[in-house]
């Protein structure tokens, strides 16, 4: 049976319409060996840690650019305190979901950038990888990342151009692909997934978000990963066996602390 790692989801924080036990059983049955739960806000940290422990998965703590509030300075302090006090937690595998969103109108871009940089500094200090959100902001995201050369990780739900994908890969980042692969209209996403070297690819569901074409009303589920792999292997005309082995290894390279979790 092929094995998968869902490198980005929100299980335990946002509802998939079923219990955590049901999510765990369904994921396991689909070959999902491990996953990374990513946070949106400071109130998520403890819950993400609990869900990750219950599921034997990893989790990331961070402040999502879409959910920053006027108290983001306080939230950054909470993030820092939590990350430092949990640095020896084997389940804390990274900092995320962090990044920039210039797609949604009316958000404070300067605040986003300021918070993002603080989070990158924290990742650098703790030697943790990041799970990065970027919408219409990739140029600025790459500029911020370049200022923290020790920080690597995943560009989640990659939606840039082929040129940007190759650039990010050449700088040592992994690119996450998921539900968007299943839409024939997602031409850019599919083009990037086709031309990148397999060594830079990750699979993710963003569950319960980014629903696949075959369940466009959502929610998405970690158990959707085998279908995403199938689509990817069709797009690349590459065997799913080979591809899944490479992507599994990439996931451990992107989030090194997952190795200990998957070895158990
Ligand atoms: Zn997400």
């Amino acid at each position: 049976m092929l094995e998968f790692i869902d490198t980005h989801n929100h299980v335990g924080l946002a509802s998939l319409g079923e219990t955590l036990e049901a999510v765990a059983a369904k994921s396991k049955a689909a070959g999902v060996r491990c996953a990374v739960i990513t946070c949106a806000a400071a109130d998520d940290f403890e819950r993400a840690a609990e869900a990750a422990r219950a599921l034997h998965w990893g989790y990331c703590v961070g402040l999502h650019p879409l959910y920053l509030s006027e108290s983001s300075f306080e939230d950054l302090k909470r993030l820092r305190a939590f990350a430092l006090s949990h640095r020896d937690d084997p389940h804390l595998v990274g900092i995320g979901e962090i990044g920039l969103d210039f797609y949604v109108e009316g958000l404070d871009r300067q605040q986003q950038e300021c918070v993002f940089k603080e989070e990158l500094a924290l990742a650098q200090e703790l030697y943790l990888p990041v799970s990065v959100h970027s919408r219409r902001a990739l140029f600025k995201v790459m500029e911020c990342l370049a200022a923290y050369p020790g920080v690597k990780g995943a560009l989640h739900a990659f939606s840039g151009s082929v040129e940007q994908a190759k650039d990010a890969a050449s700088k040592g980042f992994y690119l996450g692909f998921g539900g968007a692969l299943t839409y024939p209209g997602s031409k850019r996403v599919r083009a990037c997934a086709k031309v990148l070297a397999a060594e830079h690819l990750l699979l993710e569901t963003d569950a319960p978000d980014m629903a696949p074409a075959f369940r466009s009303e959502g929610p998405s589920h970690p158990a959707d990963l085998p279908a995403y792999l199938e689509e990817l292997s069709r797009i690349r005309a590459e065997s799913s066996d080979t591809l899944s082995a490479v992507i599994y290894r990439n996931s451990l390279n992107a989030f090194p602390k997952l190795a200990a979790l998957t070895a158990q």
Side-chain angles (χ1 to χ4, degrees):
M1 187 185 187
L2 298 180
E3 290 197 308
F4 300 88
I5 295 178
D6 184 359
T7 55
H8 185 111
N9 70 41
H10 302 279
V11 170
L13 301 173
S15 174
L16 273 68
E18 52 189 60
T19 63
L20 214 52
E21 290 73 27
V23 176
K26 214 159 139 187
S27 303
K28 212 170 176 182
V32 179
R33 182 80 182 266
C34 202
V36 178
I37 299 168
T38 59
C39 291
D43 286 339
D44 291 341
F45 301 163
E46 205 57 66
R47 285 195 299 148
E50 264 171 49
R53 271 193 290 272
L55 295 159
H56 304 290
W57 289 356
Y59 71 101
C60 291
V61 287
L63 306 172
H64 192 299
L66 283 181
Y67 306 106
L68 299 181
S69 67
E70 276 155 26
S71 60
S72 65
F73 185 67
E74 272 308 306
D75 292 340
L76 274 174
K77 278 207 246 173
R78 283 174 71 187
L79 171 64
R80 185 177 171 76
F82 189 97
L84 285 172
S85 64
H86 289 73
R87 62 192 303 172
D88 296 326
D89 179 354
H91 296 273
L92 178 63
V93 301
I95 301 294
E97 172 170 357
I98 63 174
L100 302 174
D101 196 310
F102 295 168
Y103 176 74
V104 176
E105 301 280 333
L107 297 177
D108 184 341
R109 293 183 180 185
Q110 229 172 346
Q111 180 198 30
Q112 285 189 29
E113 202 180 317
C114 187
V115 169
F116 184 38
K117 285 179 174 166
E118 289 288 334
E119 295 175 303
L120 292 173
L122 180 63
Q124 180 160 274
E125 184 184 336
L126 296 179
Y127 301 101
L128 284 172
V130 290
S131 186
V132 179
H133 171 105
S134 172
R135 266 204 305 180
R136 300 265 170 91
L138 199 55
F139 180 77
K140 199 77 192 164
V141 160
M142 293 311 292
E143 194 182 288
C144 292
L145 287 168
Y148 300 86
V151 179
K152 299 297 173 204
L155 299 179
H156 131 75
F158 189 81
S159 60
S161 66
V162 165
E163 204 180 22
Q164 287 173 316
K166 287 183 172 168
D167 174 60
S170 76
K171 289 176 175 142
F173 291 94
Y174 292 89
L175 281 68
F177 293 92
L181 285 175
T182 61
Y183 292 86
S186 303
K187 294 204 168 68
R188 259 157 72 113
V189 170
R190 291 165 65 91
C192 290
K194 181 174 181 165
V195 302
L196 272 180
E199 283 66 30
H200 302 292
L201 304 174
L202 296 176
L203 281 174
E204 57 166 58
T205 64
D206 206 16
D209 300 329
M210 302 214 47
F214 54 82
R215 197 187 314 106
S216 61
E217 296 297 303
S220 63
H221 195 290
D224 293 330
L225 285 180
Y228 296 177
L229 176 72
E230 274 314 306
E231 192 58 42
L232 191 61
S233 88
R234 261 196 298 276
I235 292 170
R236 296 175 63 88
E238 216 174 320
S239 100
S240 45
D241 287 33
T242 319
L243 213 44
S244 84
V246 175
I247 292 173
Y248 190 91
R249 200 167 55 232
N250 297 344
S251 311
L252 299 183
N253 289 338
F255 297 97
K257 284 175 80 179
L258 289 178
L261 292 176
T262 52
Q264 286 163 16

